[in-house]
């Protein structure tokens, strides 16, 4: 569409337009052929509203437009865009007025010179100002606007408890003052939640890319930083207050609170409208915080479950980036975080995995004896070798490196340890059955039994004293006693597949130490 083209008119009347709003020309400046010029003019007038409440003159629009372009482009480009026929400012402003984007009026002429100059003044219409502010709003702006919600659940709980006390005592002015703060907090909380929901819906749709990963990470950090961890802490108390006042807040009570907040001569219609609005806010708070499936907890669970897709998408990006893959580690980390007992444990796992620790400064040998007096902040950086500068870029060339897989070795080690523990348990049971007998009466021992006998003999002889040697093993499980037997052979030989052990013919006793 050019600026001289009108929007198409249809030959037949639209039946819908007779009952519902239809065509709106305000957004036309965004899709026009000269949309870039229109957007600059609208942006200039929107910025001018911060300093001018009486509109902007035609000459001031031209001056502000050049200054706006000069802040973003070079002087040569600005002269090329504005000079000659590059900017027909009069025609652009006329078209914006026809589309309903601008309001135009003239200053009154009080002197002869006023009749010789152009007296037109321009101001954005309210729909155009709201549309352009919404259209140019950056994503971080919602997060900045929600930055004051750091203690929103706690503040709502405190205000509701004070509101409940005032309602019970029929102190309606105090109750109205507290509830108005609750309304403001709820509106800010809902706006922040809508922002997070939009970000999540966009970032989780389609394939992963670095920008979406950044959106997910920023959303998660924004939620945790604002009021995520407070949901579980304060939701039960908020729900208890809501349930307690459910039958107390009747229509007359709401009307009394509203009337206490308004002027004395306010009409009954205004009181009814405001009371209905306050009651809807109370119902919205109940849907947010009451029950195990409230909106606040649902949003919290949704963001908690975001960790696994975020880690999975990171694996996809790393795998396609030609770097060392960490698939196994990330999957194991995601499973561990999902099975964590609480959020504190989950975040501790995450911080440990990604290395969120204080910086460590590594010291290098000093070239001279005086260099040790310099602090690390003033010392020069460590040199990078010429070999690394020349060959470091070739590290990712060729076949993609893979992380070393130690899973088979770890599995074999676990199986070997389980087998050793089972063999030791069997040897302990066998020697427990031989307790109370002399060594000369024993039959052949297995290799595991002989190793355990040597360990028990060493404990008894090292820690025991006197003719009868008694001691407790290092793990505190067994008490072994070696007692010499009169009238028995002086020595005994214990046979095993590993050889023969010849020792004194002790009486062997093995009992649990506990």
């Amino acid at each position: 569409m050019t600026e001289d083209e009108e929007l198409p008119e249809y030959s037949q009347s639209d039946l819908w337009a007779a009952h519902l709003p239809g065509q709106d020309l305000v957004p036309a400046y965004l899709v026009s052929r000269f949309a870039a010029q229109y957007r600059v003019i609208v942006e200039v007038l929107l910025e001018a509203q911060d300093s001018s409440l009486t509109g902007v003159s035609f000459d001031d629009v031209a001056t502000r437009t050049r200054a706006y372009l000069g802040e973003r482009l070079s002087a040569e480009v600005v002269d090329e865009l504005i000079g000659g026929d590059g900017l027909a400012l009069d025609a652009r402003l006329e078209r914006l007025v026809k589309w309903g984007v601008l309001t135009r009026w003239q200053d009154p002429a009080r002197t002869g010179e006023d009749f010789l100059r152009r007296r037109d003044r321009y101001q954005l219409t309210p729909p155009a100002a709201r549309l352009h502010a919404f259209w140019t709003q950056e994503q971080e702006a919602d997060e900045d606007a929600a930055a004051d919600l750091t203690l929103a659940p706690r503040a709502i709980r405190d205000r509701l408890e004070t509101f409940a006390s005032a309602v019970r005592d029929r102190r309606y002015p105090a109750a109205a003052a507290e509830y108005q703060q609750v309304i403001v907090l709820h509106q800010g909380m809902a706006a922040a939640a809508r922002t997070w929901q939009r970000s999540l819906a966009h970032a989780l749709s389609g394939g992963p890319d670095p920008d979406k990963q950044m959106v997910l990470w920023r959303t998660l950090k924004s939620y945790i930083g604002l009021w995520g961890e407070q949901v579980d802490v304060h939701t039960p108390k908020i729900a208890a207050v809501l349930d307690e006042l459910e039958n107390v807040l009747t229509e007359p009570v709401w009307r009394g609170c509203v009337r206490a907040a308004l002027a004395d001569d306010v009409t009954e219609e205004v009181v009814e409208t405001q009371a209905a609005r306050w009651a809807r806010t109370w119902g919205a708070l109940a849907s947010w915080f009451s029950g195990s499936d409230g909106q606040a907890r649902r949003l919290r669970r949704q963001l908690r479950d975001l960790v696994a897709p975020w880690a999975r998408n990171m694996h996809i990006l790393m795998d396609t980036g030609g770097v060392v893959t960490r698939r196994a580690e990330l999957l194991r980390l995601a499973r561990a975080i999902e099975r964590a007992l609480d959020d504190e444990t989950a975040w501790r796992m995450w911080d440990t995995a990604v290395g969120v620790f204080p910086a460590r400064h590594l010291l290098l040998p000093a070239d001279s004896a005086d260099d040790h007096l310099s602090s690390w902040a003033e010392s020069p950086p460590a040199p990078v070798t010429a070999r690394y500068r020349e060959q470091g870029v070739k590290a990712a060339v060729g076949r993609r490196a893979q992380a070393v897989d130690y899973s088979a070795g770890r599995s074999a080690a676990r199986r070997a340890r389980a087998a050793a523990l089972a063999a030791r348990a069997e040897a302990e049971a066998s020697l427990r059955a031989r307790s109370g007998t002399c060594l000369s009466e024993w039959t052949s021992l297995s290799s595991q039994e002989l190793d355990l006998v040597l360990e028990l003999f060493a404990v008894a002889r090292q820690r025991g004293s006197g003719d009868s040697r008694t001691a407790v093993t290092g793990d505190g499980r067994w008490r072994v006693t070696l007692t010499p037997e009169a009238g028995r052979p002086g020595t005994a030989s214990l046979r095993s597949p590993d050889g023969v052990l010849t020792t004194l013919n002790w009486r062997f006793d093995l009992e649990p130490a506990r």
Side-chain angles (χ1 to χ4, degrees):
M1 179 195 310
T2 65
E3 67 171 8
D4 297 327
E5 292 177 349
E6 297 289 347
L7 295 178
E9 296 289 343
Y10 297 98
S11 58
Q12 298 180 356
S13 61
D14 186 4
L15 181 61
W16 286 58
H19 306 278
L20 300 171
Q23 190 180 54
D24 193 344
L25 299 180
V26 172
Y29 76 94
L30 293 172
V31 296
S32 172
R33 172 187 172 189
F34 300 105
Q37 299 182 18
Y38 289 129
R39 293 181 64 169
V40 169
I41 297 173
V42 174
E43 184 70 25
V44 165
L45 291 173
L46 185 63
E47 291 181 355
Q49 288 184 346
D50 296 336
S51 57
S52 175
L53 301 180
T54 58
V56 181
S57 65
F58 178 85
D59 296 335
D60 200 9
V61 171
T63 303
R64 289 174 179 264
T65 301
R66 175 176 285 276
Y68 179 91
L69 296 176
E71 294 175 358
R72 293 161 176 79
L73 304 173
S74 62
E76 295 78 5
V77 176
V78 173
D79 293 338
E80 181 181 358
L81 294 179
I82 296 182
D85 298 334
L87 176 63
L89 184 59
D90 197 352
R92 305 292 179 260
L93 292 173
E94 182 68 22
R95 180 57 58 181
L96 289 174
V97 170
K98 290 184 177 180
W99 283 337
V101 178
L102 298 181
T103 298
R104 180 180 58 191
W105 72 96
Q106 287 188 343
D107 288 334
R110 294 184 175 85
T111 64
E113 295 180 356
D114 291 341
F115 289 97
L116 302 179
R117 65 179 180 87
R118 185 160 184 170
R119 295 177 285 114
D120 292 336
R121 300 188 70 84
Y122 300 90
Q123 183 67 280
L124 287 175
T125 60
R130 289 193 298 268
L131 173 64
H132 199 73
F134 162 77
W135 190 258
T136 57
Q137 185 179 33
E138 297 182 358
Q139 183 174 357
E140 291 81 0
D142 290 335
E143 299 174 2
D144 295 339
D148 294 335
L149 299 177
T150 306
L151 301 176
R154 177 180 177 181
I156 289 178
R157 170 189 167 182
D158 295 341
R159 300 281 74 75
L160 284 180
E161 290 176 348
T162 309
F163 170 74
S165 176
V167 168
R168 296 190 198 97
D169 299 339
R170 297 184 179 276
R171 293 183 289 108
Y172 292 145
E178 296 295 334
Y179 194 70
Q180 285 174 329
Q181 298 183 46
V182 172
I183 293 176
V184 174
L185 288 170
H186 172 260
Q187 291 175 349
M189 187 175 61
R194 287 193 296 268
T195 302
W196 295 328
Q197 287 285 356
R198 290 196 299 266
S199 301
L200 290 177
H202 167 69
L204 293 178
S205 62
D209 56 60
D211 293 337
K212 290 183 179 180
Q213 287 298 97
M214 184 58 64
V215 170
L216 287 177
W217 182 237
R218 185 170 59 243
T219 303
L220 186 60
K221 290 196 301 182
S222 176
Y223 175 84
I224 295 298
L226 292 183
W227 51 275
E229 61 183 7
Q230 300 185 52
V231 171
D232 284 345
V233 177
H234 300 288
T235 292
K237 292 291 186 180
I238 296 176
V241 175
L242 294 174
D243 295 339
E244 181 183 352
L245 295 181
E246 182 64 28
N247 298 325
V248 178
L249 293 174
T250 59
E251 184 177 354
V253 173
W254 281 122
R255 292 167 63 88
C257 293
V258 171
R259 189 170 289 280
L262 300 177
D264 296 336
D265 56 348
V266 68
T267 63
E268 194 66 22
E269 181 181 359
V270 174
V271 173
E272 292 179 358
T273 303
Q274 194 74 355
R277 175 172 171 265
W278 284 23
R280 287 195 301 269
T281 302
W282 186 266
L285 289 173
S287 66
W288 266 90
F289 295 104
S290 295
S292 59
D293 199 32
Q295 295 295 325
R297 287 184 173 175
R298 290 178 60 185
L299 178 61
R300 189 181 188 281
R301 288 194 295 266
Q302 183 179 3
L303 286 160
R304 178 200 63 192
D305 297 338
L306 175 66
V307 176
W310 187 85
R312 182 171 60 251
N313 292 346
M314 282 296 296
H315 151 66
I316 295 174
L317 294 177
M318 292 174 66
D319 188 59
T320 57
V323 297
V324 176
T325 176
R326 304 297 296 274
R327 180 177 184 275
E329 288 82 354
L330 287 177
L331 290 178
R332 185 161 59 252
L333 173 62
R335 286 194 295 268
I337 291 176
E338 289 178 348
R339 297 171 183 173
L341 298 178
D342 50 31
D343 286 351
E344 183 179 357
T345 304
W347 278 110
R348 191 184 305 114
M349 293 179 182
W350 175 258
D351 292 342
T352 304
V354 301
V356 184
F357 300 105
R360 296 179 59 189
H361 302 286
L362 305 180
L363 301 180
L364 298 177
D367 295 334
S368 64
D370 297 334
D371 289 347
H372 71 280
L373 300 177
S374 302
S375 66
W376 63 267
E378 299 174 355
S379 300
V384 179
T385 62
R387 179 180 179 183
Y388 182 79
R389 289 197 299 268
E390 295 176 357
Q391 302 181 7
V393 295
K394 303 177 182 178
V397 176
R399 187 174 181 180
R400 178 163 54 99
Q402 297 290 333
V404 180
D405 187 5
Y406 296 104
S407 59
R410 288 193 293 266
S411 299
R414 285 194 294 268
R415 290 193 298 270
R417 176 174 173 79
L421 292 176
R424 182 179 178 87
E426 184 180 355
E428 290 176 348
S430 176
L431 293 182
R432 182 75 176 89
R434 299 173 189 261
S435 179
T437 62
C438 295
L439 299 183
S440 60
E441 301 175 1
W442 285 14
T443 58
S444 300
L445 302 176
S446 65
S447 299
Q448 291 79 11
E449 292 173 343
L450 180 61
D451 293 339
L452 184 57
V453 166
L454 293 174
E455 180 182 341
L456 296 176
F457 280 10
V459 171
R461 293 178 65 85
Q462 181 180 3
R463 302 179 183 177
S465 61
D467 294 337
S468 179
R469 306 295 182 93
T470 301
V472 178
T473 57
D475 56 4
R477 297 178 58 235
W478 301 103
R479 177 180 290 104
V480 57
T481 304
L482 300 179
T483 307
E485 281 288 327
R488 296 280 186 175
T491 61
S493 297
L494 304 179
R495 299 184 179 276
S496 72
D498 296 335
V500 179
L501 171 64
T502 301
T503 182
L504 296 177
N505 189 16
W506 300 97
R507 172 188 170 86
F508 178 80
D509 292 289
L510 185 65
E511 300 176 351
R514 302 172 187 174

